[in-house]
Amino acid sequence: MSHRFCVAPMMDWTDRHCRAFHRHLTRRARLYTEMVTAPAVIHGDRTRLLGFAPEEHPLALQLGGADPAQLAEAARIAEGVGYDEINLNVGCPSDRVQSGRFGACLMAEPHLVARCLEAMRKVVALPVTVKCRIGIDDQDPEQSLRAFLDAVEGAGVTTIIVHARKAWLDGLSPKENRDIPPLDYPLVRAVKRERPHLTIVINGGIASLDEARAHLETVDGVMLGRAAYQTPFLLADVDAALFGEEPGARTPADILAAYRETVARELARGVPLAAMTRHVLGLSHGLPGGRRFRRHLAENAHRPGAGLAVYDGACAWLSPARADAQAAA
């Protein structure tokens, strides 16, 4: 159940196909779903919203909501489906999330968050965790984060993922909220020193495993988001660099060959090829043939009936033999 290295929940990105791809890169990273609202879990298409493959473990479901009873019911359903963790989103700054009274706006209501967490913990045996910001808008993070942790800890939750930025809900877009508010890593390190019994996972702006390793000297875990998605090959080094396992000798071509089995299985279930290949594009950045690989998929994967022939045709551009031929030319 280690949170030493986690891949962040990201809307429209970390769907089941992305997670299956990431699992071909790392066995040890903890993966998170996109945020799913509690009402959607209760009333929606559970196969579509909650489905995952067994190899995705360890896997956490991130829930959004502010109604304790709804969140408890959604957590109970998720436990039955087989997730390893339930994570409450108290960090998303989007307008849509605010209008539903969940996400980062809940940083202003730590006691409501506590009631939500207590309600979930009463009905499941799974670990219940929370992902938050250090504050919002005009809050003083030195005070708001500590007050939030007091409430969360009072609810019996001991694992907190902290995105080390404020969220400016009034004046910044969700995209701007990922970059403009300054990072405050020292504050996250300080609350870990003050509360050594808590598991504190740091998130925000971490772009490499070297940075992750440095953070692990002072906190319990790191969570990468955009870097893990946009440059996924860094995940291939996670198990060796951060968990002490023997390093592998896999190449991007090896990983794509392994992922081919997943692609074939999902194609047989009727999943469009483009739904899977959109997640692998970052694997080719900087490689000989990488541009041709991405172009081949961009031009062909979305076409009706696109299948393994399209996938194999793209992967051929990254094969060692093709790379050696290009180097010789």
Side-chain angles (χ1 to χ4, degrees):
M1 298 302 295
S2 171
H3 288 82
R4 185 170 174 82
F5 184 90
C6 310
V7 178
M10 292 175 281
M11 291 299 293
D12 299 321
W13 286 6
T14 52
D15 62 19
R16 62 179 298 172
H17 310 302
C18 174
R19 300 190 306 264
F21 170 57
H22 284 172
R23 192 54 80 204
H24 283 288
L25 290 145
T26 167
R27 295 187 306 106
R28 300 295 297 274
R30 177 168 290 259
L31 304 181
Y32 285 73
T33 70
E34 305 169 89
M35 184 192 70
V36 185
T37 67
V41 171
I42 297 168
H43 304 294
D45 182 344
R46 295 177 190 173
T47 300
R48 179 179 62 84
L49 293 170
L50 301 181
F52 62 89
E55 59 266 25
E56 292 178 43
H57 293 292
L59 177 63
L61 172 69
Q62 186 179 69
L63 287 175
D67 182 286
Q70 287 185 340
L71 285 165
E73 177 63 10
R76 186 191 62 77
I77 292 167
E79 183 176 50
V81 171
Y83 282 92
D84 300 304
E85 171 190 333
I86 307 297
N87 178 261
L88 181 63
N89 183 327
V90 190
C92 181
S94 79
D95 294 339
R96 181 168 60 87
V97 167
Q98 291 181 61
S99 67
R101 197 178 172 223
F102 53 89
C105 63
L106 287 176
M107 291 294 298
E109 300 184 81
H111 296 298
L112 173 57
V113 172
R115 293 201 302 275
C116 291
L117 296 171
E118 288 173 344
M120 289 189 285
R121 292 189 67 247
K122 284 180 180 178
V123 299
V124 299
L126 294 179
V128 175
T129 67
V130 64
K131 186 174 188 291
C132 66
R133 295 280 184 134
I134 60 174
I136 56 172
D137 296 333
D138 292 324
Q139 287 182 333
D140 177 358
E142 293 280 348
Q143 298 177 4
S144 58
L145 180 58
R146 289 181 170 89
F148 184 82
L149 292 179
D150 286 343
V152 167
E153 189 175 354
V157 169
T158 59
T159 298
I160 303 96
I161 303 162
V162 184
H163 186 154
R165 303 180 197 269
K166 265 190 176 185
W168 283 97
L169 305 180
D170 183 13
L172 292 182
S173 69
K175 183 177 185 299
E176 291 170 328
N177 263 298
R178 292 194 293 266
D179 297 299
I180 292 177
L183 288 158
D184 192 347
Y185 295 142
L187 175 58
V188 181
R189 292 195 289 265
V191 297
K192 172 59 188 177
R193 287 195 303 271
E194 296 163 8
R195 304 166 194 245
H197 54 286
L198 296 182
T199 297
I200 301 293
V201 180
I202 198 165
N203 171 235
I206 304 169
S208 70
L209 294 190
D210 286 340
E211 292 177 48
R213 190 183 292 106
H215 282 296
L216 287 170
E217 295 179 5
T218 53
V219 294
D220 303 292
V222 294
M223 175 177 276
L224 270 67
R226 283 172 290 168
Y229 188 89
Q230 294 168 349
T231 55
F233 196 56
L234 70 79
L235 297 176
D237 291 326
V238 163
D239 297 353
L242 302 183
F243 292 91
E245 297 190 354
E246 288 296 317
R250 296 182 304 162
T251 66
D254 294 331
I255 291 160
L256 288 168
Y259 186 53
R260 186 182 189 277
E261 296 182 16
T262 301
V263 171
R265 181 187 69 205
E266 295 301 299
L267 285 170
R269 295 178 59 244
V271 175
L273 180 65
M276 296 172 279
T277 57
R278 70 188 183 99
H279 301 301
V280 308
L281 300 178
L283 193 65
S284 67
H285 287 303
L287 296 178
R291 185 174 298 177
R292 300 294 292 270
F293 169 83
R294 295 189 296 275
R295 180 177 176 180
H296 188 94
L297 290 176
E299 292 178 350
N300 298 290
H302 67 281
R303 294 182 176 176
L308 288 176
V310 171
Y311 184 81
D312 292 341
C315 293
W317 288 103
L318 301 182
S319 68
R322 178 72 61 92
D324 290 343
Q326 288 179 330

